[in-house]
């Protein structure tokens, strides 16, 4: 059952990002970098889910830490959420807290799987 849930999660992540890619939503350089980082992390999660050795565990340790730092930096500071109308009435600190909660719920499992893949 666990394998099925991981496969569904991997499929949802990939489908969402690929649909954004196909619609041309990755316009800025930072968004394109984020897409590349996402693809690399999907490969690691795929290795974890399928229990396949892809690259060296030391490489995945570096990728896990670097990608997590990138995602936090990109989501919290670099990506411009300030103009979104849904968050418009909230103070900046509350916006950041809501973005962090959304980030943890959305990609927390990804980094859990990458961590287990790299450090197990």
């Amino acid at each position: 059952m666990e394998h099925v849930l991981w496969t569904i999660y991997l499929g949802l992540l990939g489908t969402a990002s690929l649909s954004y890619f196909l619609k041309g939503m990755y316009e800025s350089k930072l968004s394109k970098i984020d897409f590349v980082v996402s693809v690399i992390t999907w490969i690691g999660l795929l290795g974890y889910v399928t229990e396949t050795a892809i690259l060296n565990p030391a490489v995945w340790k570096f990728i896990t830490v670097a990608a997590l730092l990138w995602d936090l930096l990109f989501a919290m500071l670099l990506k411009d959420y300030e103009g979104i109308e849904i968050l418009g009435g909230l103070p900046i600190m509350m916006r950041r807290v809501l973005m962090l909660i959304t980030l943890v719920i959305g990609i927390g499992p990804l980094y859990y799987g990458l961590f287990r893949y790299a450090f197990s």
Side-chain angles (χ1 to χ4, degrees), residues 14-26:
T15 302
S17 290
L18 289 176
S19 66
Y20 269 56
F21 178 74
L22 294 174
K23 290 181 182 180
M25 302 291 261
Y26 296 110

Side-chain angles (χ1 to χ4, degrees), residues 11-67:
L12 290 173
L13 280 179
T15 302
S17 290
L18 289 176
S19 66
Y20 269 56
F21 178 74
L22 294 174
K23 290 181 182 180
M25 302 291 261
Y26 296 110
E27 295 175 353
S28 71
K29 288 181 182 179
L30 290 176
S31 294
K32 291 175 184 174
I33 292 169
D34 187 55
F35 180 71
V36 170
V37 170
S38 295
V39 170
I40 293 168
T41 58
W42 300 335
I43 292 168
L45 188 60
L46 179 66
Y48 172 69
V49 170
T50 61
E51 298 176 357
T52 305
I54 303 171
L55 301 177
N56 186 324
V59 172
W60 288 111
K61 289 175 185 174
F62 174 78
I63 289 172
T64 300
V65 172

